[in-house]
């Protein structure tokens, strides 16, 4: 049975209600299961249900009894790990990923695995194997990707929050498209995969800022074998985010010195955010790191393609299968072909260039506290723009160069970045604002996001989704 009052509460408030015996775990879980059963058939945000996990819910844990989703790129023992690909058909994860272990230890009740594009390689959730996920604000638009299932589920109220991962914008892009909050943590803050040159970071998509801080506290820390140290932070983020927001020096560059074509409605959204920041007492000025953006992105794509080709081959081999033009989408088969065509020297040149240009970006933050820019160059795209069955990897990369050329910067530099839902266009589609901070400084982002959430609350918007 759905309980209407639950819609107005985030995970933090729900946990308080459970602890104070105002709500039972059974009522909370029952509500979200009912919403999933009603909404998921149309939105296709959840591809594997894990309802038997409900039996292990324990209120005597930090997040005990709160519903959650795991992205279908991460292993959950005893359940499918499909990566959105038919090459993984029939594969069941033999054990939990370390991030799943930590979420379970915190008491989260995992209700399902969220949809993702094939192997998570596009900023739209359009798997031909598991089906497209639709944007809950407008069904003909994409929720973004690769954590599109997670973002659509959170925005539509199927869960209060969900796991996401981000190797090039895969938390922030769906957060922007679905009008929810999404933060990519600093490299090393949470356990990460060595694939993709350690670009990717795991965290969560949430409705509220405080829920994101709480979940980061739960997940923080390296796993055995991680190559990067966890940045120091002092107090838990739940406490740090409550600190007073000092006047920040914020750099702002919507069109990146005319280096790319930004849609006018995206420009309007970011201009609006800049004015809001000034009204809150922050100093906003036009500035941007002096680095070669296009060569930077070319190098990023080289490393991304090589890492992706290896990841696909290794996963398929674990399922006893080969990567062929019939076992994966055209995009993936041509990605593997493209990846195997690079030399070791080309890879090392790309990696070294990213490292040297990243230094320039880090130096920029010696002068500025935060950088504001668009999450994507366009609003949410119509469904079908990232059809991996029809398009080669080069065709997919051409679409991305015109849409998602900005968010990968923070992945290559390792800096924390977030998308904050502050603007809805005339079609009532959300357009997030993107903020980057110095390496290791999630605290400033959380404090700023909390201030923005109080100044322009977005929670009331969700009642418009049905």
């Amino acid at each position: 049975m759905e309980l209407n009052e639950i819609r107005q509460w985030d995970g933090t408030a729900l946990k308080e209600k459970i602890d104070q015996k105002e709500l039972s775990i059974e009522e909370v879980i029952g509500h979200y299961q009912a919403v999933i059963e009603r909404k998921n058939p149309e939105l296709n945000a959840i591809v594997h249900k894990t309802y038997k996990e409900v039996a292990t819910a324990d209120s005597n844990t930090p997040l005990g009894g709160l519903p959650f989703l795991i992205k279908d790129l991460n292993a959950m023992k005893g359940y499918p790990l499909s990566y959105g690909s038919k090459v993984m058909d029939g594969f069941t994860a033999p054990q939990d990923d370390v991030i799943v272990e930590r979420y379970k230890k915190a008491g989260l009740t995992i209700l399902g695995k969220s949809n993702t594009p094939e192997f998570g390689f596009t900023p739209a959730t359009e798997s031909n194997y598991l089906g497209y996920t639709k944007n809950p604000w407008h069904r003909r638009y994409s929720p973004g990707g690769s954590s599109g299932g997670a973002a659509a589920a959170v925005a539509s109220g199927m869960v209060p929050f969900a796991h996401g991962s981000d190797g090039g914008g895969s938390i922030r892009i769906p957060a922007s498209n679905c009008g929810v909050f999404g933060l990519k943590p600093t490299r090393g803050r949470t356990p990460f995969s060595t694939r993709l040159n350690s670009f990717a970071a795991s965290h969560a998509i949430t409705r509220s800022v405080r829920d994101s801080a709480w979940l980061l506290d739960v997940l923080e820390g390296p796993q055995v074998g991680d190559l990067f140290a966890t940045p120091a932070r002092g107090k838990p983020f739940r406490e740090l985010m409550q600190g007073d927001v000092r006047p920040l020096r914020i750099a702002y560059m919507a069109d990146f010195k005319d280096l790319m074509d930004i849609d006018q409605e995206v420009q309007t959204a970011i201009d609006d955010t800049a004015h809001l920041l000034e009204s809150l007492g922050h100093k906003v000025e036009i500035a941007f790191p002096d680095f070669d953006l296009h060569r930077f992105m070319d190098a990023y794509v080289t490393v991304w393609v090589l890492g992706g080709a290896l990841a696909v081959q290794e996963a398929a081999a674990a399922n006893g299968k080969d990567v062929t033009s019939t076992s994966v989408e055209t995009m993936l088969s041509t990605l593997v072909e493209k990846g195997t065509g690079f030399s070791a020297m080309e890879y090392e040149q790309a990696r070294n260039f990213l490292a040297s240009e990243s230094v320039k970006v880090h130096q920029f933050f010696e002068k500025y506290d935060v950088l504001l820019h668009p999450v994507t160059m366009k609003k949410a795209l119509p469904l079908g723009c990232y059809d991996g069955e029809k398009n080669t990897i080069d065709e997919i990369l051409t679409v991305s160069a015109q849409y998602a050329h900005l968010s990968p910067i923070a992945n290559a530099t390792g800096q924390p970045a977030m998308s904050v839902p502050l603007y809805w266009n005339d079609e009532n589609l959300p357009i997030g604002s993107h903020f980057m901070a110095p390496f290791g400084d999630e605290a400033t982002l959380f404090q700023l996001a909390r201030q923005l959430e109080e100044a322009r609350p977005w929670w009331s918007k969700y009642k418009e989704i049905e």
Side-chain angles (χ1 to χ4, degrees):
M1 178 184 295
E2 293 185 40
L3 304 175
N4 289 332
E5 62 270 26
I6 286 181
R7 299 181 185 182
Q8 63 186 307
W9 296 319
D10 63 354
T12 301
L14 281 173
K15 179 57 177 170
E16 292 172 353
K17 299 290 183 182
I18 291 172
D19 290 345
Q20 294 164 6
K21 310 298 184 185
E22 296 179 29
L23 282 172
S24 68
I25 288 179
E26 291 75 18
E27 287 175 317
V28 171
I29 298 298
H31 164 82
Y32 285 106
Q33 286 179 315
V35 177
I36 289 170
E37 295 302 316
R38 180 165 64 87
K39 292 189 175 183
N40 195 60
E42 181 181 13
L43 295 178
N44 194 34
I46 299 170
V47 291
H48 307 297
K49 294 173 184 175
T50 59
Y51 287 178
K52 69 179 182 181
E53 298 294 316
V54 172
T56 65
D58 180 5
S59 62
N60 297 314
T61 48
L63 294 164
L66 297 181
F68 200 62
L69 301 175
I70 297 295
K71 188 175 175 180
D72 194 30
L73 298 182
N74 290 84
M76 187 172 169
K77 184 177 180 178
Y79 291 100
L81 176 58
S82 54
Y83 294 100
S85 177
K86 64 182 177 182
V87 79
M88 300 305 294
D89 186 50
F91 184 77
T92 300
Q95 61 187 29
D96 288 334
D97 278 352
V98 67
I99 64 166
V100 176
E101 291 177 354
R102 292 184 185 181
Y103 288 137
K104 286 182 176 180
K105 184 178 180 181
L108 289 167
T109 300
I110 301 171
L111 294 183
K113 301 195 74 180
S114 61
N115 205 357
T116 178
E118 191 171 36
F119 283 91
F121 284 119
T122 63
T125 304
E126 299 181 355
S127 162
N128 281 277
Y129 175 62
L130 294 177
Y132 288 14
T133 298
K134 297 177 181 178
N135 191 312
W137 295 95
H138 279 287
R139 307 302 196 262
R140 67 185 183 89
Y141 285 102
S142 170
S146 60
S147 305
V154 172
S156 61
M158 294 188 209
V159 284
F161 36 44
H163 161 250
S165 56
D166 190 318
S170 289
I171 286 175
R172 292 160 288 153
I173 293 171
S176 174
N177 286 1
C178 292
V180 287
F181 180 73
L183 180 139
K184 181 201 80 70
T186 300
R187 181 184 294 135
R189 180 70 69 194
T190 61
F192 62 89
S193 169
T194 56
R195 294 191 178 111
L196 298 181
N197 208 43
S198 305
F199 287 160
S202 273
H203 182 33
I205 290 175
T206 65
R207 285 188 170 189
S208 73
V209 176
R210 64 179 183 174
D211 278 0
S212 182
W214 197 2
L215 288 166
L216 190 54
D217 286 332
V218 165
L219 191 59
E220 185 187 33
Q223 62 185 325
V224 175
D226 275 357
L227 303 178
F228 298 94
T230 300
R233 60 157 167 85
K235 298 178 181 178
F237 287 114
R238 289 183 73 197
E239 295 181 26
L240 289 171
M241 69 166 288
Q242 299 300 330
D244 293 334
V245 186
R246 60 183 172 85
L248 300 175
R249 190 164 191 185
I250 299 176
Y252 163 55
M253 181 64 73
D255 62 2
F256 279 48
K257 301 179 182 177
D258 296 322
L259 288 176
M260 57 189 63
D261 182 20
I262 305 291
D263 277 6
Q264 183 56 53
E265 57 193 331
V266 174
Q267 177 80 53
T268 298
I270 306 306
D271 288 343
D272 181 69
T273 296
H275 294 315
L276 175 60
L277 291 165
E278 288 178 325
S279 73
L280 294 172
H282 302 294
K283 183 176 182 181
V284 181
E285 58 185 70
I286 295 176
F288 187 72
D290 185 17
F291 75 118
D292 192 330
L293 175 62
H294 290 323
R295 283 190 62 198
F296 187 90
M297 285 304 302
D298 287 343
Y300 168 85
V301 167
T302 296
V303 175
W304 179 84
V305 166
L306 279 159
L310 178 62
V312 172
Q313 290 175 313
E314 289 182 342
N319 199 30
K321 297 182 180 180
D322 296 321
V323 177
T324 68
S325 60
T326 57
S327 66
V328 297
E329 297 174 5
T330 300
M331 178 197 70
L332 260 294
S333 64
T334 55
L335 178 142
V336 171
E337 181 181 356
K338 185 181 183 72
T340 55
F342 285 105
S343 68
M345 183 63 73
E346 288 174 308
Y347 167 79
E348 189 65 4
Q349 287 172 337
R351 193 188 66 81
N352 283 340
F353 183 78
L354 285 175
S356 62
E357 292 297 283
S358 291
V359 170
K360 298 177 183 178
V361 179
H362 290 302
Q363 289 173 336
F364 178 80
F365 286 87
E366 294 174 0
K367 183 178 180 182
Y368 294 98
D369 300 302
V370 173
L371 170 64
L372 165 67
H373 64 72
V375 179
T376 57
M377 295 130 73
K378 302 178 184 298
K379 67 182 182 185
L381 296 178
L383 290 171
C385 291
Y386 277 96
D387 189 334
E389 193 60 56
K390 296 180 180 178
N391 298 309
T392 66
I393 185 59
D394 287 333
E395 291 169 331
I396 291 292
L397 289 171
T398 296
V399 175
S400 288
Q402 299 166 353
Y403 174 61
H405 209 55
L406 305 176
S407 54
I409 298 170
N411 297 92
T413 65
Q415 292 169 254
M418 65 183 181
S419 174
V420 184
L422 299 171
Y423 185 89
W424 273 252
N425 69 7
D426 291 341
E427 294 177 274
N428 205 31
L429 273 175
I431 297 174
S433 293
H434 189 277
F435 298 88
M436 285 175 61
F439 193 91
D441 193 11
E442 286 93 340
T444 293
L445 292 182
F446 278 130
Q447 290 169 358
L448 177 60
R450 177 182 59 81
Q451 184 186 47
L452 292 169
E453 185 181 33
E454 292 172 354
R456 187 175 292 174
W458 53 79
W459 270 69
S460 62
K461 296 288 294 183
Y462 299 131
K463 65 184 179 182
E464 300 174 26
I465 298 178
E466 272 300 329

